[in-house]
Amino acid sequence: MRAPGARFLPVPADGDLEVGAESVAEFLGEVALLRGRLDAIAESTQRPRGRAEHRERLVRRLRNLEVAALHTRVIGGGVIVR
């Protein structure tokens, strides 16, 4: 599911996501956008897990992406998601 306004996520399964230093602020905005739609995303992508478990995994993954992006802002770099 690609949320309205999402450009970077979800990442294609067959490639890496590379966010250049000039796009880190936009990437952080997208993480916030997705965080605001967690319930809808978790509901629409249920598979073997329940909605609550899927939502919690999404929360952790988005937090990891946010921490990485905030760190790169400090050093002036970009983000690579594998």
Side-chain angles (χ1 to χ4, degrees):
M1 171 179 169
R2 187 173 293 271
R7 176 177 144 207
F8 300 104
L9 299 168
V11 178
D14 59 346
D16 296 339
L17 170 65
E18 296 184 22
V19 180
E22 70 285 351
S23 300
V24 171
E26 185 180 353
F27 179 71
L28 284 166
E30 186 168 313
V31 169
L33 172 78
L34 294 175
R35 184 179 289 116
R37 293 180 166 88
L38 280 175
D39 289 329
I41 296 168
E43 188 68 37
S44 70
T45 57
Q46 278 189 58
R47 298 227 169 91
R49 296 179 202 89
R51 186 176 69 78
E53 182 183 353
H54 192 68
R55 186 184 191 287
E56 182 56 36
R57 286 178 178 227
L58 290 168
V59 166
R60 283 194 309 263
R61 288 180 179 154
L62 289 174
R63 182 65 185 144
N64 287 343
L65 294 172
E66 183 178 46
V67 167
L70 290 171
H71 179 70
T72 64
R73 282 176 53 170
V74 171
I75 62 172
V79 178
I80 298 175
V81 179
R82 295 182 183 253

Coordinates of all heavy atoms in Angstrom, one line a residue:
M1 N 0.8 -1.2 0.0 CA 0.0 0.0 0.0 C 0.9 1.2 0.0 O 1.8 1.4 0.8 CB -0.9 0.0 1.3 CG -1.6 1.3 1.5 SD -2.6 1.1 2.9 CE -3.1 2.8 3.1
R2 N 0.6 2.1 -0.9 CA 1.4 3.4 -0.9 C 0.4 4.5 -0.5 O -0.6 4.7 -1.1 CB 1.9 3.7 -2.3 CG 2.8 4.9 -2.3 CD 3.5 5.1 -3.7 NE 4.4 4.0 -4.0 CZ 5.7 4.0 -3.6 NH1 6.2 5.0 -3.0 NH2 6.5 3.1 -4.0
A3 N 0.7 5.1 0.7 CA -0.1 6.2 1.2 C -0.1 7.4 0.3 O 0.9 7.6 -0.4 CB 0.4 6.6 2.6
P4 N -1.2 8.1 0.2 CA -1.2 9.3 -0.6 C 0.0 10.3 -0.2 O 0.1 10.5 1.0 CB -2.5 9.9 -0.3 CG -3.4 8.8 0.2 CD -2.4 7.9 0.9
G5 N 0.7 10.7 -1.1 CA 1.9 11.6 -0.8 C 3.2 10.8 -0.6 O 4.2 11.5 -0.4
A6 N 3.1 9.5 -0.5 CA 4.4 8.8 -0.2 C 5.2 8.6 -1.5 O 4.7 8.3 -2.6 CB 4.0 7.4 0.3
R7 N 6.4 9.0 -1.4 CA 7.3 8.9 -2.6 C 8.4 7.8 -2.3 O 8.8 7.1 -3.3 CB 8.0 10.2 -2.8 CG 9.0 10.2 -3.9 CD 9.6 11.6 -4.1 NE 11.0 11.5 -4.4 CZ 11.9 12.3 -4.1 NH1 11.6 13.5 -3.5 NH2 13.2 12.1 -4.5
F8 N 8.9 7.7 -1.1 CA 10.0 6.8 -0.8 C 9.6 5.4 -0.4 O 10.3 4.4 -0.7 CB 10.8 7.4 0.3 CG 11.4 8.7 0.0 CD1 10.9 9.9 0.5 CD2 12.5 8.8 -0.9 CE1 11.4 11.1 0.2 CE2 13.0 10.1 -1.2 CZ 12.5 11.2 -0.7
L9 N 8.5 5.3 0.3 CA 8.1 4.0 0.9 C 6.7 3.6 0.4 O 5.9 4.4 0.1 CB 8.0 4.2 2.5 CG 9.3 4.5 3.1 CD1 9.1 4.9 4.6 CD2 10.3 3.4 3.0
P10 N 6.4 2.3 0.3 CA 7.3 1.2 0.6 C 8.4 1.0 -0.4 O 8.3 1.4 -1.5 CB 6.3 0.0 0.6 CG 5.3 0.3 -0.3 CD 5.1 1.8 -0.3
V11 N 9.5 0.4 0.1 CA 10.6 0.1 -0.7 C 10.4 -1.1 -1.5 O 9.9 -2.1 -1.0 CB 11.9 -0.1 0.2 CG1 13.1 -0.5 -0.6 CG2 12.1 1.0 1.1
P12 N 10.7 -1.1 -2.8 CA 10.5 -2.4 -3.6 C 11.4 -3.5 -3.0 O 12.5 -3.3 -2.5 CB 11.1 -2.0 -5.0 CG 11.0 -0.5 -5.0 CD 11.2 0.0 -3.6
A13 N 10.8 -4.7 -3.0 CA 11.5 -5.9 -2.5 C 12.8 -6.2 -3.2 O 13.7 -6.8 -2.6 CB 10.6 -7.1 -2.5
D14 N 12.9 -5.8 -4.4 CA 14.1 -6.2 -5.2 C 15.2 -5.1 -5.3 O 16.1 -5.2 -6.0 CB 13.7 -6.6 -6.6 CG 13.0 -5.5 -7.3 OD1 12.6 -4.5 -6.7 OD2 12.9 -5.6 -8.6
G15 N 15.1 -4.1 -4.4 CA 16.1 -3.0 -4.5 C 16.2 -2.3 -3.2 O 15.4 -2.4 -2.3
D16 N 17.3 -1.5 -3.1 CA 17.5 -0.6 -1.9 C 16.9 0.7 -2.1 O 16.7 1.2 -3.3 CB 19.0 -0.4 -1.7 CG 19.7 -1.7 -1.4 OD1 19.1 -2.7 -1.0 OD2 21.0 -1.7 -1.6
L17 N 16.6 1.4 -1.0 CA 16.1 2.8 -1.1 C 17.2 3.7 -0.8 O 17.9 3.5 0.3 CB 14.9 3.0 -0.1 CG 14.5 4.4 0.1 CD1 13.9 5.0 -1.1 CD2 13.5 4.5 1.3
E18 N 17.5 4.6 -1.6 CA 18.6 5.6 -1.4 C 18.0 7.0 -1.3 O 17.3 7.4 -2.3 CB 19.6 5.5 -2.5 CG 20.4 4.2 -2.5 CD 21.5 4.1 -3.5 OE1 22.0 5.2 -3.9 OE2 21.8 3.0 -3.9
V19 N 18.2 7.6 -0.2 CA 17.7 9.0 0.0 C 18.9 9.9 0.1 O 19.7 9.8 1.0 CB 16.8 9.1 1.3 CG1 16.3 10.5 1.5 CG2 15.6 8.1 1.3
G20 N 19.0 10.8 -0.8 CA 20.1 11.7 -0.8 C 20.0 12.7 0.3 O 18.9 13.0 0.8
A21 N 21.1 13.3 0.7 CA 21.1 14.3 1.8 C 20.1 15.4 1.5 O 19.5 15.9 2.5 CB 22.5 14.9 1.9
E22 N 19.9 15.8 0.3 CA 19.0 16.9 0.0 C 17.5 16.5 0.1 O 16.7 17.3 0.2 CB 19.2 17.4 -1.5 CG 18.8 16.4 -2.6 CD 19.7 15.2 -2.8 OE1 20.8 15.2 -2.2 OE2 19.3 14.4 -3.6
S23 N 17.3 15.2 0.3 CA 15.9 14.7 0.4 C 15.5 14.2 1.8 O 14.4 13.6 2.0 CB 15.6 13.6 -0.6 OG 15.8 14.1 -1.9
V24 N 16.5 14.2 2.7 CA 16.2 13.6 4.1 C 15.0 14.3 4.8 O 14.2 13.6 5.4 CB 17.5 13.7 4.9 CG1 17.2 13.3 6.4 CG2 18.6 12.8 4.4
A25 N 14.9 15.6 4.7 CA 13.8 16.3 5.3 C 12.4 15.8 4.7 O 11.5 15.5 5.5 CB 13.9 17.8 5.1
E26 N 12.4 15.6 3.4 CA 11.2 15.1 2.8 C 10.9 13.6 3.2 O 9.8 13.2 3.4 CB 11.3 15.1 1.2 CG 10.1 14.7 0.5 CD 10.3 14.8 -1.0 OE1 11.4 15.3 -1.5 OE2 9.4 14.4 -1.7
F27 N 12.0 12.9 3.3 CA 11.9 11.5 3.8 C 11.3 11.4 5.2 O 10.4 10.7 5.5 CB 13.2 10.8 3.8 CG 13.2 9.4 4.3 CD1 12.6 8.4 3.5 CD2 13.8 9.1 5.5 CE1 12.6 7.1 3.9 CE2 13.9 7.8 5.9 CZ 13.2 6.7 5.2
L28 N 11.8 12.3 6.1 CA 11.3 12.4 7.5 C 9.8 12.8 7.5 O 9.0 12.3 8.3 CB 12.1 13.4 8.3 CG 13.4 12.9 8.8 CD1 14.3 14.0 9.3 CD2 13.3 11.8 9.8
G29 N 9.4 13.7 6.6 CA 8.0 14.0 6.4 C 7.1 12.8 6.0 O 6.0 12.7 6.5
E30 N 7.7 12.0 5.1 CA 7.0 10.8 4.7 C 6.8 9.8 5.8 O 5.8 9.2 6.0 CB 7.6 10.2 3.5 CG 6.8 9.0 2.9 CD 7.4 8.6 1.6 OE1 7.6 9.4 0.7 OE2 7.5 7.4 1.4
V31 N 7.9 9.6 6.6 CA 7.8 8.8 7.8 C 6.7 9.2 8.7 O 5.8 8.4 9.2 CB 9.1 8.7 8.6 CG1 9.0 8.0 9.9 CG2 10.2 7.9 7.7
A32 N 6.6 10.5 9.0 CA 5.5 11.1 9.8 C 4.1 10.9 9.1 O 3.2 10.5 9.8 CB 5.7 12.6 10.0
L33 N 4.1 11.0 7.8 CA 2.8 10.8 7.1 C 2.3 9.3 7.3 O 1.2 9.1 7.6 CB 3.0 11.0 5.6 CG 1.9 10.6 4.7 CD1 0.8 11.7 4.7 CD2 2.4 10.5 3.3
L34 N 3.2 8.4 7.2 CA 2.9 7.0 7.4 C 2.5 6.7 8.8 O 1.6 5.9 9.1 CB 4.1 6.1 6.9 CG 4.3 6.2 5.4 CD1 5.6 5.3 5.0 CD2 3.1 5.7 4.6
R35 N 3.2 7.3 9.7 CA 2.9 7.1 11.1 C 1.5 7.5 11.4 O 0.8 6.9 12.2 CB 3.9 7.8 12.0 CG 3.7 7.6 13.5 CD 4.6 8.3 14.4 NE 6.0 7.7 14.3 CZ 7.0 8.3 13.8 NH1 6.9 9.6 13.5 NH2 8.2 7.8 13.8
G36 N 1.0 8.6 10.8 CA -0.3 9.0 11.0 C -1.4 8.1 10.4 O -2.6 8.3 10.6
R37 N -0.9 7.2 9.6 CA -1.9 6.3 8.9 C -1.6 4.8 9.3 O -2.0 3.9 8.6 CB -1.8 6.4 7.4 CG -2.2 7.7 6.9 CD -2.1 7.8 5.4 NE -2.8 8.9 4.8 CZ -2.4 10.2 4.7 NH1 -1.1 10.5 5.1 NH2 -3.1 11.1 4.2
L38 N -1.0 4.6 10.4 CA -0.6 3.2 10.8 C -1.8 2.3 10.9 O -1.7 1.1 10.5 CB 0.1 3.2 12.2 CG 1.5 3.7 12.2 CD1 2.1 3.8 13.6 CD2 2.4 2.7 11.3
D39 N -2.9 2.7 11.5 CA -4.1 1.8 11.6 C -4.5 1.3 10.2 O -4.8 0.1 10.0 CB -5.2 2.4 12.4 CG -4.8 2.6 13.9 OD1 -4.1 1.7 14.4 OD2 -5.3 3.5 14.5
A40 N -4.7 2.2 9.3 CA -5.1 1.9 8.0 C -4.1 1.0 7.3 O -4.5 0.0 6.6 CB -5.4 3.1 7.1
I41 N -2.8 1.3 7.4 CA -1.8 0.4 6.8 C -1.8 -1.0 7.4 O -1.8 -2.0 6.7 CB -0.4 1.1 6.9 CG1 -0.4 2.4 6.1 CG2 0.7 0.1 6.4 CD1 0.8 3.2 6.4
A42 N -1.9 -1.1 8.7 CA -1.9 -2.4 9.4 C -3.1 -3.2 9.0 O -3.1 -4.4 8.8 CB -1.8 -2.2 10.9
E43 N -4.2 -2.5 8.9 CA -5.5 -3.2 8.6 C -5.5 -3.7 7.1 O -5.9 -4.8 6.9 CB -6.7 -2.2 8.7 CG -8.0 -2.8 8.5 CD -8.4 -3.8 9.7 OE1 -8.0 -3.5 10.8 OE2 -9.0 -4.8 9.4
S44 N -4.9 -2.9 6.2 CA -4.9 -3.3 4.8 C -3.9 -4.4 4.5 O -3.9 -5.0 3.4 CB -4.8 -2.1 3.9 OG -3.5 -1.6 4.0
T45 N -2.9 -4.6 5.3 CA -1.8 -5.5 5.0 C -1.8 -6.7 5.9 O -0.7 -7.4 6.0 CB -0.4 -4.8 5.0 OG1 -0.2 -4.2 6.3 CG2 -0.4 -3.8 3.9
Q46 N -2.9 -7.0 6.6 CA -2.9 -8.2 7.5 C -2.6 -9.4 6.7 O -3.2 -9.6 5.7 CB -4.3 -8.3 8.2 CG -4.4 -7.4 9.4 CD -5.7 -7.8 10.1 OE1 -5.9 -8.9 10.5 NE2 -6.6 -6.8 10.2
R47 N -1.8 -10.2 7.3 CA -1.6 -11.5 6.7 C -1.6 -12.5 7.8 O -2.6 -12.6 8.5 CB -0.3 -11.5 5.9 CG -0.3 -10.5 4.8 CD 0.2 -11.0 3.5 NE -0.2 -10.1 2.4 CZ 0.6 -9.1 2.0 NH1 1.8 -8.8 2.5 NH2 0.2 -8.3 1.0
P48 N -0.5 -13.2 8.1 CA -0.6 -14.2 9.2 C -0.7 -13.5 10.6 O -1.1 -14.1 11.6 CB 0.7 -15.0 9.1 CG 1.6 -14.3 8.2 CD 0.7 -13.3 7.4
R49 N -0.3 -12.3 10.7 CA -0.3 -11.6 12.0 C -1.6 -10.8 12.2 O -2.2 -10.4 11.3 CB 0.8 -10.5 12.1 CG 2.2 -11.1 12.0 CD 3.2 -9.9 12.1 NE 4.5 -10.3 11.5 CZ 4.8 -10.2 10.2 NH1 4.0 -9.7 9.4 NH2 6.0 -10.6 9.8
G50 N -1.9 -10.6 13.4 CA -3.1 -9.8 13.7 C -2.7 -8.3 13.5 O -1.6 -7.9 13.4
R51 N -3.7 -7.4 13.5 CA -3.5 -6.0 13.2 C -2.6 -5.4 14.3 O -1.8 -4.6 13.9 CB -4.9 -5.3 13.2 CG -4.7 -3.9 12.8 CD -6.1 -3.2 12.6 NE -6.8 -2.9 13.8 CZ -6.5 -2.0 14.7 NH1 -5.5 -1.1 14.5 NH2 -7.1 -1.8 15.8
A52 N -2.8 -5.7 15.5 CA -2.0 -5.1 16.6 C -0.6 -5.4 16.5 O 0.3 -4.6 16.6 CB -2.6 -5.5 18.0
E53 N -0.3 -6.7 16.2 CA 1.1 -7.1 16.0 C 1.8 -6.4 14.8 O 2.9 -6.0 14.8 CB 1.2 -8.6 15.9 CG 2.7 -9.1 15.8 CD 2.8 -10.6 15.6 OE1 1.8 -11.3 15.7 OE2 3.9 -11.0 15.4
H54 N 1.0 -6.4 13.7 CA 1.5 -5.8 12.5 C 1.8 -4.3 12.7 O 2.8 -3.8 12.3 CB 0.5 -6.0 11.3 CG 1.1 -5.7 10.0 ND1 2.1 -6.4 9.4 CD2 0.8 -4.7 9.2 CE1 2.4 -5.8 8.3 NE2 1.6 -4.8 8.1
R55 N 0.8 -3.6 13.4 CA 1.0 -2.2 13.7 C 2.2 -2.0 14.5 O 3.0 -1.0 14.2 CB -0.2 -1.7 14.4 CG -0.2 -0.2 14.6 CD -1.5 0.2 15.4 NE -1.6 1.7 15.4 CZ -0.9 2.5 16.1 NH1 0.1 2.1 16.8 NH2 -1.1 3.8 16.0
E56 N 2.5 -2.8 15.5 CA 3.7 -2.6 16.4 C 5.0 -2.8 15.6 O 5.9 -2.0 15.8 CB 3.6 -3.6 17.5 CG 4.8 -3.5 18.5 CD 4.9 -2.1 19.1 OE1 3.9 -1.4 19.3 OE2 6.1 -1.6 19.3
R57 N 5.0 -3.7 14.7 CA 6.2 -3.9 13.8 C 6.4 -2.7 12.9 O 7.5 -2.2 12.7 CB 6.1 -5.1 13.0 CG 6.2 -6.4 13.7 CD 6.1 -7.6 12.9 NE 6.3 -8.8 13.6 CZ 7.0 -9.8 13.2 NH1 7.6 -9.8 12.1 NH2 7.2 -10.9 14.0
L58 N 5.3 -2.1 12.4 CA 5.4 -0.9 11.6 C 5.9 0.3 12.4 O 6.8 1.0 12.0 CB 4.0 -0.5 11.0 CG 3.5 -1.5 9.9 CD1 2.0 -1.2 9.6 CD2 4.3 -1.3 8.7
V59 N 5.5 0.4 13.7 CA 5.9 1.4 14.6 C 7.4 1.3 14.7 O 8.2 2.3 14.6 CB 5.2 1.4 15.9 CG1 5.9 2.3 17.0 CG2 3.8 1.8 15.8
R60 N 7.9 0.1 15.0 CA 9.4 -0.1 15.2 C 10.2 0.2 14.0 O 11.2 0.9 14.0 CB 9.7 -1.5 15.7 CG 9.3 -1.7 17.1 CD 9.9 -3.0 17.7 NE 9.6 -4.2 16.8 CZ 8.6 -5.0 17.0 NH1 7.8 -4.9 18.1 NH2 8.4 -6.1 16.3
R61 N 9.7 -0.2 12.8 CA 10.4 0.0 11.6 C 10.5 1.5 11.2 O 11.5 2.0 10.8 CB 9.8 -0.8 10.4 CG 10.1 -2.3 10.6 CD 9.5 -3.1 9.5 NE 9.8 -4.5 9.7 CZ 9.1 -5.4 9.2 NH1 8.0 -5.2 8.5 NH2 9.4 -6.7 9.4
L62 N 9.3 2.2 11.4 CA 9.3 3.6 11.1 C 10.2 4.4 12.0 O 10.9 5.3 11.6 CB 7.9 4.2 11.1 CG 7.0 3.7 10.0 CD1 5.6 4.2 10.3 CD2 7.5 4.2 8.7
R63 N 10.3 4.0 13.3 CA 11.2 4.6 14.3 C 12.6 4.4 13.9 O 13.4 5.3 14.0 CB 10.9 4.1 15.7 CG 11.7 4.7 16.7 CD 11.4 6.2 16.9 NE 12.3 6.8 17.9 CZ 12.8 8.0 17.8 NH1 12.4 8.8 16.8 NH2 13.6 8.5 18.7
N64 N 13.0 3.2 13.4 CA 14.4 2.9 13.0 C 14.7 3.8 11.8 O 15.8 4.4 11.8 CB 14.5 1.5 12.6 CG 14.6 0.6 13.8 OD1 14.7 1.0 14.9 ND2 14.3 -0.7 13.5
L65 N 13.8 4.0 10.9 CA 14.1 4.9 9.7 C 14.2 6.3 10.2 O 15.1 7.0 9.7 CB 12.9 4.8 8.7 CG 12.8 3.4 8.0 CD1 11.5 3.4 7.2 CD2 14.0 3.1 7.2
E66 N 13.4 6.7 11.1 CA 13.5 8.1 11.6 C 14.8 8.4 12.3 O 15.4 9.4 12.1 CB 12.3 8.4 12.5 CG 12.2 9.8 13.0 CD 11.0 10.0 13.9 OE1 10.7 9.2 14.8 OE2 10.3 11.0 13.7
V67 N 15.2 7.5 13.2 CA 16.5 7.6 13.9 C 17.6 7.7 12.9 O 18.5 8.6 13.0 CB 16.7 6.5 14.9 CG1 18.1 6.4 15.4 CG2 15.7 6.6 16.0
A68 N 17.6 6.8 11.9 CA 18.7 6.9 10.9 C 18.7 8.2 10.2 O 19.8 8.8 10.0 CB 18.6 5.7 9.9
A69 N 17.5 8.7 9.8 CA 17.5 9.9 9.0 C 17.9 11.1 9.9 O 18.5 12.0 9.4 CB 16.0 10.1 8.5
L70 N 17.5 11.1 11.1 CA 17.9 12.2 12.0 C 19.4 12.2 12.2 O 20.0 13.3 12.2 CB 17.1 12.1 13.3 CG 15.6 12.4 13.3 CD1 15.0 12.1 14.6 CD2 15.4 13.9 12.9
H71 N 20.0 11.1 12.3 CA 21.4 11.0 12.5 C 22.1 11.5 11.2 O 23.1 12.3 11.3 CB 21.9 9.5 12.7 CG 23.3 9.4 12.9 ND1 24.0 9.8 13.9 CD2 24.2 8.8 12.0 CE1 25.3 9.6 13.8 NE2 25.5 8.9 12.6
T72 N 21.6 11.2 10.0 CA 22.3 11.6 8.8 C 22.2 13.1 8.7 O 23.0 13.7 8.1 CB 21.7 10.9 7.6 OG1 20.4 11.3 7.4 CG2 21.9 9.4 7.6
R73 N 21.1 13.7 9.2 CA 21.0 15.2 9.1 C 22.1 15.8 9.9 O 22.7 16.9 9.5 CB 19.7 15.7 9.7 CG 18.5 15.5 8.7 CD 17.2 15.8 9.2 NE 17.1 17.1 9.8 CZ 16.0 17.7 10.1 NH1 14.8 17.1 9.9 NH2 15.9 18.9 10.6
V74 N 22.5 15.2 11.0 CA 23.6 15.8 11.8 C 24.9 15.7 11.1 O 25.7 16.7 11.2 CB 23.7 15.0 13.2 CG1 25.0 15.4 14.0 CG2 22.5 15.2 14.0
I75 N 25.2 14.6 10.4 CA 26.4 14.5 9.7 C 26.4 14.9 8.2 O 27.4 14.9 7.5 CB 27.0 13.0 9.8 CG1 26.0 12.1 9.1 CG2 27.2 12.6 11.2 CD1 26.5 10.6 9.0
G76 N 25.2 15.3 7.7 CA 25.1 15.8 6.4 C 25.0 14.8 5.3 O 25.4 15.0 4.2
G77 N 24.6 13.6 5.7 CA 24.6 12.5 4.7 C 23.2 12.1 4.3 O 22.2 12.8 4.6
G78 N 23.1 11.0 3.6 CA 21.8 10.5 3.1 C 21.5 9.1 3.9 O 22.2 8.7 4.8
V79 N 20.4 8.5 3.4 CA 20.0 7.2 4.0 C 19.9 6.2 3.0 O 19.5 6.4 1.9 CB 18.6 7.4 4.6 CG1 18.0 6.1 5.3 CG2 18.5 8.5 5.7
I80 N 20.4 5.0 3.3 CA 20.2 3.8 2.5 C 19.5 2.8 3.3 O 19.9 2.4 4.4 CB 21.6 3.2 2.0 CG1 22.3 4.2 1.2 CG2 21.3 1.9 1.2 CD1 23.7 3.8 0.7
V81 N 18.3 2.3 2.7 CA 17.5 1.3 3.4 C 17.7 0.0 2.6 O 17.4 0.0 1.4 CB 16.0 1.7 3.5 CG1 15.2 0.6 4.1 CG2 15.9 3.0 4.2
R82 N 18.1 -1.1 3.2 CA 18.3 -2.3 2.5 C 17.3 -3.3 3.0 O 16.8 -3.3 4.0 CB 19.7 -2.9 2.8 CG 20.7 -2.0 2.2 CD 22.1 -2.6 2.5 NE 23.1 -1.7 1.9 CZ 23.7 -1.9 0.8 NH1 23.6 -3.0 0.2 NH2 24.5 -1.0 0.4

